[in-house]
């Protein structure tokens, strides 16, 4: 006998187990850089977005370098994670891939001439800093612990975040989609356990109008139901806020979903409204929307490693 399913279950299952997770594109950072440059035109924060595009260009170079050096996790671990719904690239465990620090050094050297003054003076201190202190900073970012103690560490945090993204994206690209636990629709990334940066409504091969949360760290995406709070799974009283006037016209594909239950707000970028959106880039370009929802009493649930917030 077949049991009746709720509309919510039907919406979840319509995607199918096979496509409930998406690995990042091998061009994720190059695409992001291009999107950031497009968003920078006419934007009040153009310099910031162009600097972020420069970081993303370098992240792509480093991703291309790391991919052949990054092994797939061992089969026993992958099996255990699939069975128990645990993320195989656990970012909270505090284990750092050896490669992350070499990426940080490459980014630091290449960005030095273009960095804003605060970052430039922090970069001067980088060669004198103990590796153990940088590893500790990286671990505290992965665990979402409190802000770093020193001004230097605070200034370096986005660059550390960028290096960690490269290391984890390379690790994600060594997986097969079927290695990632499927069907849990959780608030955290099923590949690495990190928080989402935002969510994206996709078109085309991923199923028209299907929503995914985008991982802030490894860039994997996992299916989440529309009109449902990603952090707490509440479906009642969900509402949406957009930018208005000229800003609204510049960002037609970005909304903030707000939840009255947990007071969280997570952005949704929609390819239905603007086919070129990128969750990470469009999030950076719409910080004005965060201020609006903050004034309305909601806290930001998305985590963007370029905007250091613990
Ligand atoms: Zn992830
Ligand atoms: Zn909620």
């Amino acid at each position: 006998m077949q049991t009746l399913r709720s509309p919510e279950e039907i919406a979840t299952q319509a995607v199918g187990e096979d496509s409930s997770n998406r690995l990042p594109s091998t061009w994720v950072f190059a695409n992001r850089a291009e999107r950031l440059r497009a968003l920078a035109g006419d934007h009040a924060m153009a310099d910031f977005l162009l600097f972020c595009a420069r970081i993303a260009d370098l992240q792509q170079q480093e991703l291309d370098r790391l991919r052949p050096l990054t092994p797939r996790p061992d089969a026993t671990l992958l099996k255990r994670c699939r069975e128990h719904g645990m993320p195989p690239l656990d970012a909270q465990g505090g284990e750092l891939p050896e490669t992350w620090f070499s990426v940080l050094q490459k980014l630091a050297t290449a960005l030095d001439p273009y960095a804003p003054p605060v970052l430039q003076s922090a970069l001067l201190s980088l060669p004198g800093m103990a590796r153990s202190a940088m590893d500790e900073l990286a671990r505290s970012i992965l665990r979402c612990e409190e802000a770093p103690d020193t001004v230097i560490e605070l200034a370096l945090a986005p660059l550390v975040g960028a290096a960690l993204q490269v290391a984890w994206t390379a690790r994600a690209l060594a997986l097969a989609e079927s290695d990632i636990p499927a069907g849990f629709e959780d608030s955290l990334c099923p590949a690495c356990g990190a928080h989402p940066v935002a969510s994206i409504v996709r078109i085309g091969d991923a199923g028209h109008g299907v929503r995914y949360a985008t991982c802030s760290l490894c860039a994997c995406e996992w299916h989440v139901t529309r009109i449902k709070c990603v952090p707490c799974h509440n479906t009642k009283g969900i509402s949406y806020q957009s930018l208005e006037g000229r800003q609204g016209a510049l960002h037609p594909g970005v909304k903030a979903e707000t939840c009255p239950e947990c007071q969280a707000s997570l952005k949704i970028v929609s390819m239905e409204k603007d086919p070129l959106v990128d969750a990470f880039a469009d999030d950076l370009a719409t910080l004005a929307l965060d201020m609006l929802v903050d004034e309305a009493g909601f806290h930001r649930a998305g985590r963007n490693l370029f905007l250091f917030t613990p």
Side-chain angles (χ1 to χ4, degrees):
M1 197 180 79
Q2 213 175 350
T3 50
L4 287 175
R5 294 180 297 163
S6 69
E8 192 179 282
E9 283 169 328
I10 293 166
T12 313
Q13 289 169 8
V15 187
E17 284 257 307
D18 292 348
S19 60
S20 69
N21 299 314
R22 291 169 53 88
L23 290 173
S25 155
T26 51
W27 294 102
V28 56
F29 296 116
N31 294 340
R32 193 173 281 175
E34 197 180 311
R35 178 64 176 168
L36 284 163
R37 273 189 284 270
L39 289 165
D42 271 353
H43 198 287
M45 289 166 63
D47 288 347
F48 168 70
L49 295 175
L50 290 173
F51 183 64
C52 292
R54 208 179 271 281
I55 302 178
D57 279 331
L58 292 162
Q59 285 181 296
Q60 183 67 49
Q61 280 179 28
E62 286 301 290
L63 179 67
D64 296 343
R65 181 177 71 85
L66 282 201
R67 280 186 61 207
L69 312 173
T70 307
R72 184 179 145 85
D74 90 28
T76 324
L77 172 80
L78 289 172
K79 184 166 175 282
R80 203 169 62 234
C81 287
R82 261 199 318 273
E83 283 168 3
H84 300 285
M86 298 183 316
L89 309 176
D90 178 23
Q92 308 278 315
E95 231 182 279
L96 294 168
E98 194 41 47
T99 46
W100 94 270
F101 192 68
S102 70
V103 179
L104 178 70
Q105 287 174 311
K106 293 258 167 105
L107 295 181
T109 309
L111 289 168
D112 193 21
Y114 311 99
V118 185
L119 178 56
Q120 219 158 31
S121 54
L123 287 174
L124 283 176
S125 328
L126 186 59
M129 290 179 73
R131 169 70 191 268
S132 57
M134 295 313 294
D135 281 349
E136 210 32 66
L137 176 58
R139 282 194 201 96
S140 72
I141 290 173
L142 292 172
R143 291 179 190 143
C144 311
E145 286 167 357
E146 68 269 33
D149 301 337
T150 68
V151 179
I152 294 168
E153 288 191 344
L154 194 62
L156 290 174
L159 221 54
V160 171
L164 295 171
Q165 282 179 332
V166 174
W168 256 269
T169 304
R171 298 175 77 198
L173 285 168
L175 297 175
E177 266 173 14
S178 56
D179 290 331
I180 306 173
F184 293 91
E185 199 174 323
D186 209 344
S187 53
L188 301 175
C189 173
C192 77
H195 290 268
V197 57
S199 60
I200 182 165
V201 174
R202 292 200 160 271
I203 55 173
D205 63 344
H208 207 87
V210 178
R211 181 189 183 200
Y212 295 86
T214 307
C215 178
S216 58
L217 181 66
C218 77
C220 282
E221 293 181 354
W222 65 102
H223 173 248
V224 289
T225 307
R226 288 175 84 163
I227 323 181
K228 179 174 178 179
C229 173
V230 175
C232 84
H233 301 175
N234 165 47
T235 54
K236 306 237 164 37
I238 301 290
S239 57
Y240 298 90
Q241 198 157 348
S242 316
L243 287 165
E244 283 165 6
R246 183 175 168 276
Q247 285 203 320
L250 285 173
H251 304 286
V254 185
K255 284 186 298 190
E257 183 176 74
T258 55
C259 169
E261 200 62 41
C262 70
Q263 298 296 116
S265 152
L266 186 74
K267 284 179 193 162
I268 302 186
V269 304
S270 173
M271 292 175 82
E272 292 175 321
K273 298 271 167 53
D274 180 350
L276 298 175
V277 286
D278 171 274
F280 186 94
D282 285 65
D283 176 44
L284 288 176
T286 55
L287 299 179
L289 181 55
D290 293 291
M291 285 187 244
L292 278 182
V293 293
D294 183 67
E295 280 162 21
F298 297 96
H299 68 266
R300 186 187 150 94
R303 191 163 193 245
N304 193 316
L305 297 183
F306 282 15
L307 308 169
F308 185 72
T309 43

